[in-house]
Amino acid sequence: QNLLQCHPTGFTISHLHTSSRASAKQHYKMLVLGGGSGGITMSARMKRLVGAENVAVVEPSEMHYYQPIWTLVGAGAKTAASSARTTASVMPSGVKWVKSKVQEINPDKNTVRTDDGTEISYEYLIVALGIQLHYEWIKGLPEAFEHPKIGSNYSIKTVEKTWKALQDFKEGNAVFTFPNTPVKCAGAPQKIMYLSDAYLRKTGKRAKANILYNTSLPVLFGIKKYADTLWDIVKNRDLQVNLRQNLIEVRADKQEAVFENLDKPGETKVFEYEMLHVTPPMGPSLVIKGGPLANEAGWLDLNKDTLQHNRYPNVFGIGDCTSLPTAKTGAAVAAQSAILNRTISKLLKNQKPDKKYDGYTSCPLVTSYNTVVLAEFDYNGQPLETFPINQAKERRLMYYMKADVMPHLYWYGLLRGLWGGPGPYRKLFHLGMK
């Protein structure tokens, strides 16, 4: 997402595919694992670099989703259908789509095994397996989603439940959570709070609502420049922020959510809710975790400058599955894709990579149905802004970019390998100025 989108890689629904070629051997010069944002954009770029017949993508899902828009789907501003395309339609033509799930990666033998037993060998491997959602780490989930008044914008299965809960709100607590793990699009858990506040005001229910943001973090947002603006919004709109509160249980039958105080181990607090939005705990891809490609924490162990693996020089990675110390967003994928393309093209010519990824990432913080604070920053948490204006202010133009411009650039730019590079917004801005 150089896209303005703050949700990380295309989420997919898994279908089990069996195959009669279980014992067939396949070999590709360039093997891409994952058909989300990172995998599709890199397969399009690799097609141009080495030819479509030399590229394969392993992805079990029939559908590809533009997740950054799910924030707006959960608030009723966009439809779930608008976020979806078939995987077949976004797969670059001529590239081999292996419709299976990755079971095991063996980088010492340059092979990958899929769940139907197929072994695929490769010359170069690009890992784009995304992040794993773990609703089940919270007691009472995911079964609580069968009850009303609870939703989550992080899954296609539950995003419309958020909108239903918001529409059905009568009076009481509206509770929004942020887990005690790394997440993709760290702004999304609070964006839905601002949108819900706006909706309840618009429908005359705000006076009967108590809006709570219970976050595991010790801060509202990690970059002070933008956090200062968000704190002002929170105070002006009478939103209650409770720091270091981690959701550990949902009792859907009683409409209760249980939180632990991370600063006082053992201390818990029960909140009744009329609406609950859950951001699930997340972790590394289970295929990578514990395997030879992982670092100690389970993430794909990459050089943060070149996106090349630290131990296996013919292995590369992009997006949410990686160890890169920047926020996991679609915008980061867009920036990384150009750097990784450059790294691989240099290595194919036996040259040294000469472009470094600076950690560029972006989160369009949606603060109402027509405003966004566009946060853009680097590895050091320093703002890396595109526009010659103060981006810490709420702006209508930025909402239009997130809601209408970026989806178009995603489907027709990023996924075709035509959009990306440092500061995607900057690129867009300069295009508009020409």
Coordinates of all heavy atoms in Angstrom, one line a residue, residues 18 116 156 208 276:
T18 N -7.3 -30.3 -3.2 CA -6.5 -31.5 -3.3 C -6.0 -31.6 -4.8 O -6.6 -30.9 -5.6 CB -7.3 -32.7 -3.0 OG1 -8.5 -32.7 -3.7 CG2 -7.6 -32.7 -1.5
D116 N -0.9 -30.2 -0.2 CA -1.4 -31.4 -1.0 C -0.2 -32.3 -1.3 O -0.3 -33.2 -2.1 CB -2.2 -31.0 -2.2 CG -1.3 -30.2 -3.2 OD1 -0.1 -30.0 -3.0 OD2 -1.9 -29.7 -4.2
I156 N -13.0 -10.4 7.1 CA -14.2 -10.3 6.2 C -15.4 -11.0 6.8 O -16.6 -10.6 6.5 CB -13.9 -10.9 4.8 CG1 -15.0 -10.5 3.7 CG2 -13.7 -12.4 4.8 CD1 -15.1 -9.0 3.4
K208 N -26.4 9.1 25.0 CA -26.6 7.9 25.7 C -25.4 6.9 25.6 O -25.5 5.8 26.0 CB -27.9 7.2 25.3 CG -29.1 8.1 25.6 CD -30.4 7.3 25.3 CE -31.6 8.0 25.8 NZ -32.8 7.2 25.5
L276 N -19.1 -3.8 21.1 CA -17.7 -4.2 21.3 C -17.0 -4.4 19.9 O -17.5 -5.2 19.1 CB -17.6 -5.4 22.1 CG -16.2 -6.0 22.4 CD1 -15.3 -5.0 23.2 CD2 -16.2 -7.4 23.1

